[in-house]
Amino acid sequence: MIIFLGSFFISCKQETTTKIDKLPYYNTSDFTPTWLSSEDELKKFHKIPNFKFTNQLGNEVTNTNFKGYIYVANFFFTTCPSICIKLTNNMHMLQDIYSKDEEIKLISHTVFPSYDTVEVLKEYGDLRDVNPKKWHLVTGEKEKIYKLAREAYFADEIYNETNDENGFIHTENLILVDKDGHIRGVYKGTLPEEIKRIERHIEILKKES
């Protein structure tokens, strides 16, 4: 079985037979892995920038809420009838796995904020047993969400090809971010088996602390 990771493929068997004790860093939309060898390189490397949105409880959520935490991010919208359902189910798997682990957080950004108000996100979260202490469902200004998705998380594959700023973001990626805000992994979030890889990679990140 082949699993998608950014713009290249690796096999489950290859990863499980080869012991991985360090994760690469990512700073381009093609998700080419970069291996950093010094603190000076790391200081200059791509990080998720400052952001400010509102979660399902109506509370402000910023990047400072995630400083010092490992987290998984994705982009979705509540009325999506296809991949978002699978994404939400798999994010919920992570919520269950790390329900008692205070080092791990989750964040899902709506790409349809004109519809996905705080009230809509609250109802969506309640129906799907989302724990707001662990998992933020956030909304805000569309321009800011799309800018973050495209320029920070590299989450809009179509935009990378077309540069069409009016395009709708619809991505199945889950993005793993370390405690310092660096992207350390990208996964096909519609596949339950990818959750196992995220678990393994989170354990590697914990050992970096």
Side-chain angles (χ1 to χ4, degrees):
M1 177 177 60
I2 303 298
I3 289 180
F4 178 81
L5 177 58
S7 60
F8 59 99
F9 294 81
I10 62 174
S11 69
C12 287
K13 184 177 180 181
Q14 179 183 355
E15 182 171 326
T16 54
T17 56
T18 303
K19 289 186 178 181
I20 299 174
D21 58 6
K22 186 173 177 60
L23 298 181
Y25 294 78
Y26 298 91
N27 73 331
T28 57
S29 58
D30 61 0
F31 291 110
T32 299
T34 300
W35 303 90
L36 300 179
S37 58
S38 72
E39 287 296 322
D40 287 338
E41 288 179 311
L42 191 56
K43 289 177 182 178
K44 301 174 185 177
F45 207 73
H46 176 79
K47 296 174 67 172
I48 304 301
N50 294 345
F51 60 81
K52 182 169 66 175
F53 299 118
T54 305
N55 73 4
Q56 68 267 42
L57 299 182
N59 297 329
E60 181 179 277
V61 174
T62 73
N63 54 298
T64 58
N65 292 97
F66 296 87
K67 186 174 178 59
Y69 293 91
I70 297 167
Y71 71 94
V72 178
N74 80 308
F75 295 84
F76 82 116
F77 59 106
T78 61
T79 54
C80 171
S82 55
I83 68 172
C84 296
I85 297 173
K86 295 180 180 179
L87 285 172
T88 297
N89 289 341
N90 289 337
M91 286 285 278
H92 201 287
M93 286 178 63
L94 290 171
Q95 176 183 263
D96 290 345
I97 292 166
Y98 296 105
S99 61
K100 297 180 181 180
D101 189 331
E102 296 183 357
E103 289 186 77
I104 311 302
K105 289 190 175 185
L106 308 172
I107 183 169
S108 296
H109 314 73
T110 178
V111 295
F112 193 10
S114 60
Y115 179 83
D116 288 337
T117 61
V118 169
E119 293 76 18
V120 170
L121 292 180
K122 176 67 164 56
E123 181 178 3
Y124 183 88
D126 288 345
L127 287 173
R128 288 156 181 80
D129 193 30
V130 171
N131 178 2
K133 293 182 180 179
K134 171 69 65 176
W135 182 2
H136 296 281
L137 310 178
V138 299
T139 189
E141 295 179 29
K142 180 180 177 179
E143 293 77 12
K144 292 182 178 179
I145 293 172
Y146 276 53
K147 181 179 176 66
L148 190 76
R150 289 168 173 161
E151 298 181 10
Y153 289 102
F154 311 119
D156 189 356
E157 297 91 340
I158 296 176
Y159 176 75
N160 295 335
E161 300 173 0
T162 65
N163 289 318
D164 180 8
E165 294 184 355
N166 296 315
F168 188 75
I169 294 176
H170 204 202
T171 176
E172 58 188 345
N173 285 348
L174 298 182
I175 302 107
L176 178 63
V177 182
D178 68 18
K179 293 183 178 182
D180 296 314
H182 299 108
I183 297 175
R184 306 299 297 276
V186 184
Y187 314 85
K188 195 167 185 178
T190 55
L191 300 179
E193 54 265 36
E194 284 281 66
I195 300 306
K196 293 297 183 183
R197 292 186 59 243
I198 294 175
E199 283 187 78
R200 293 196 296 271
H201 292 179
I202 283 176
E203 291 308 306
I204 292 171
L205 290 184
K206 285 183 174 185
K207 292 176 183 178
E208 289 185 357
S209 304

